[in-house]
Amino acid sequence: MSNQLSDRINSVTPSATLEMAAKARELRASGKDIIGLSLGEPDFNTPDYVKEAAIQAINDNYNSYTPVDGYVELKEAIITKFKRDNHLEYTPTQIVVSTGAKQALYNVAQVVLNKGDEVILPCPYWVSYSDIVKLADGIPVEVKTSLENDFKMTPEQLEASITPKTKMLWYSSPCNPSGSIYSETELRALADVLKKHPQIIIVSDEIYEHINYGVTAHASMAAFEDMYDRTVTVNGVAKAFAMTGWRIGFIGAPAYIARACNKLQGQVTSGANCIAQRAVITALTESPDRIKYMVDEFKERRKLILGLLNGIEGFKCNEPEGAFYVYPDVTAFFGKTLNGTKINNASDFAMYLLENANVATVTGDAFGNGNCIRISYAASEKEIIEAIRRIKEAVS
Ligand code: PMP
Ligand code: GLU
């Protein structure tokens, strides 16, 4: 029978991060000693005080369908969190809880974009942005940035990329994959450009907010009064609370966008999981100081991995200020033959490392920048040391 799939799904690329993680799992199952540095997933356990809240919720019989946009108590906790951490004032009608930040982003694209609308994505961007945009019939417009500029888009680049069809700007800060953080001043400069183009909605993905190494303070686009009414602030608990599998993300947004996300979600998934939501009330209500031990650990690992990578000729790194990835430029290897394998691009290089060093990374192509590969350091020090030793051996 011929392929009866829709053009929509045929145009989507599978998530490179999840694909690489699956490949690593497969190779491991076949007996290979693979070190997985491909997935952005903390190697910590969910903190006990959050787990206890979930156990309590089970015992309290939280088992029914949840409100589509989230429990009232969770929305209150999110409102308090936004006020406490980001100086953002939201009302309950502006909050929607979803099954992960990924669904939150998907919802926003679906409710805002019409066919042919352009979405500006500063590169490198998180792997799923471009496909989420395409699934909503939008057109991703990539804006190239450089390592020299810490992979940040300048106001001039933003201005030059805007056309009459531009409907949205999406970025993450701290950035997955580069770890770059836009300072308040840098965001203000971008806001000054956006001010001249009132049709543009901004998606500010702040899921790595707490994984910040103290150089540049976290800033939210919506905290600027003139951007508040046109910014969707996306956040979640997967990264900072080591809760990737619990699947809770949320938005603070203009009420008309939140209402539309609520309507969409009500026809697609209904409300997010009841137990996970109860646990997240505790996660967000407690002080972020309680999860700082993980951030401190990531900071040590960042130092370790940067030191080791800088000792390999051909790897050029920026110093990531947040998140838990390094995004080295590996163009020095392009055109070379390593152990009989010709390396033409970042995908060849990532594959070469998987097959020859038994280390899983992700090609930079997946993030809209083909000069780099992404390496996650959300792994133990022992794994990091061994992985980089293997990489060094495989490329020397
Ligand atoms: N945004 C960014 C920048 C991410 O790295 C991720 C990683 N999963 C997500 C959104 C999605 O988060 P979640 O696991 O909550 O869906
Ligand atoms: N956000 C993580 C990453 O970039 C998890 C994988 C995914 O959801 O694609 O690796």
Side-chain angles (χ1 to χ4, degrees):
M1 193 169 166
S2 62
N3 183 344
Q4 296 287 39
L5 295 175
S6 66
D7 295 342
R8 184 180 315 110
I9 195 63
N10 283 332
S11 74
V12 168
T13 325
S15 160
T17 47
L18 298 183
E19 243 196 352
M20 195 54 150
K23 208 169 277 173
R25 260 197 301 270
E26 230 171 74
L27 287 171
R28 224 176 269 129
S30 74
K32 278 205 162 187
D33 168 27
I34 303 290
I35 302 180
L37 303 183
S38 57
L39 202 57
E41 170 154 74
D43 59 327
F44 292 98
N45 289 322
T46 302
D48 285 343
Y49 63 97
V50 179
K51 290 197 284 197
E52 278 154 21
I55 292 165
Q56 188 63 45
I58 294 174
N59 289 331
D60 289 345
N61 296 311
Y62 279 96
N63 40 233
S64 308
Y65 282 128
T66 58
V68 172
D69 52 350
Y71 282 125
V72 172
E73 298 91 327
L74 177 53
K75 293 196 346 168
E76 285 303 333
I78 291 167
I79 288 168
T80 306
K81 173 258 169 303
F82 273 133
K83 200 178 294 178
R84 178 192 66 202
D85 302 340
N86 314 112
H87 312 294
L88 292 174
E89 300 275 349
Y90 289 115
T91 59
T93 50
Q94 295 179 276
I95 307 291
V96 180
V97 177
S98 297
T99 301
K102 204 180 244 178
Q103 187 187 19
L105 290 160
Y106 180 84
N107 285 346
V108 174
Q110 289 291 325
V111 307
V112 170
L113 294 173
N114 283 317
K115 194 174 173 58
D117 284 343
E118 293 178 358
V119 179
I120 296 175
L121 303 178
C123 301
Y125 51 78
W126 178 48
V127 61
S128 294
Y129 287 177
S130 55
D131 285 289
I132 288 176
V133 166
K134 282 192 231 158
L135 277 166
D137 289 330
I139 300 173
V141 174
E142 298 187 346
V143 177
K144 303 287 173 202
T145 66
S146 66
L147 188 140
E148 289 67 35
N149 203 22
D150 195 24
F151 295 113
K152 287 187 226 175
M153 179 175 67
T154 63
E156 294 73 27
Q157 286 180 302
L158 172 60
E159 183 80 72
S161 64
I162 294 172
T163 75
K165 293 206 142 231
T166 306
K167 185 78 177 283
M168 300 180 95
L169 160 67
W170 285 39
Y171 66 88
S172 60
S173 178
C175 173
N176 175 4
S178 70
S180 309
I181 297 179
Y182 284 96
S183 69
E184 191 180 347
T185 311
E186 287 165 335
L187 283 185
R188 184 61 250 174
L190 296 178
D192 285 340
V193 174
L194 294 164
K195 216 164 56 176
K196 294 182 260 168
H197 305 275
Q199 82 281 11
I200 301 177
I201 305 286
I202 302 117
V203 169
S204 172
D205 181 347
E206 304 181 12
I207 195 163
Y208 294 94
E209 168 188 14
H210 293 300
I211 305 173
N212 180 318
Y213 304 120
V215 181
T216 302
H218 183 78
S220 297
M221 185 64 97
F224 299 127
E225 225 177 287
D226 56 349
M227 293 293 119
Y228 178 81
D229 279 341
R230 44 197 287 213
T231 301
V232 179
T233 309
V234 179
N235 212 320
V237 290
K239 313 296 171 176
F241 294 89
M243 294 179 77
T244 49
W246 295 67
R247 312 303 306 129
I248 298 290
F250 50 88
I251 57 167
Y256 77 97
I257 293 181
R259 265 197 306 274
C261 291
N262 188 357
K263 181 163 80 170
L264 175 67
Q265 202 163 277
Q267 292 289 26
V268 181
T269 54
S270 303
N273 175 278
C274 50
I275 305 305
Q277 285 198 54
R278 300 311 300 184
V280 173
I281 295 173
T282 297
L284 296 181
T285 306
E286 292 289 316
S287 162
D289 289 348
R290 294 193 74 168
I291 47 165
K292 202 172 160 290
Y293 66 96
M294 292 189 258
V295 183
D296 292 342
E297 185 67 36
F298 289 136
K299 191 173 180 180
E300 285 304 310
R301 296 174 191 182
R302 177 186 68 149
K303 191 170 154 201
L304 174 71
I305 198 165
L306 282 177
L308 293 171
L309 283 176
N310 285 330
I312 307 179
E313 208 175 45
F315 279 72
K316 232 172 24 179
C317 303
N318 67 324
E319 188 160 320
E321 294 186 358
F324 35 58
Y325 311 101
V326 275
Y327 198 62
D329 181 305
V330 291
T331 45
F333 298 100
F334 296 178
K336 293 207 169 138
T337 301
L338 301 172
N339 280 328
T341 304
K342 182 85 192 284
I343 308 294
N344 291 311
N345 50 44
S347 298
D348 289 350
F349 191 65
M351 202 42 74
Y352 174 81
L353 294 182
L354 182 65
E355 286 166 359
N356 293 266
N358 285 343
V359 177
T361 59
V362 187
T363 173
D365 290 311
F367 307 93
N369 177 326
N371 292 338
C372 302
I373 59 167
R374 190 190 78 173
I375 307 178
S376 162
Y377 54 89
S380 71
E381 288 202 355
K382 193 166 155 243
E383 283 177 305
I384 292 170
I385 292 168
E386 174 59 11
I388 308 305
R389 186 197 66 74
R390 290 184 193 178
I391 291 177
K392 187 170 184 174
E393 195 175 276
V395 303
S396 298

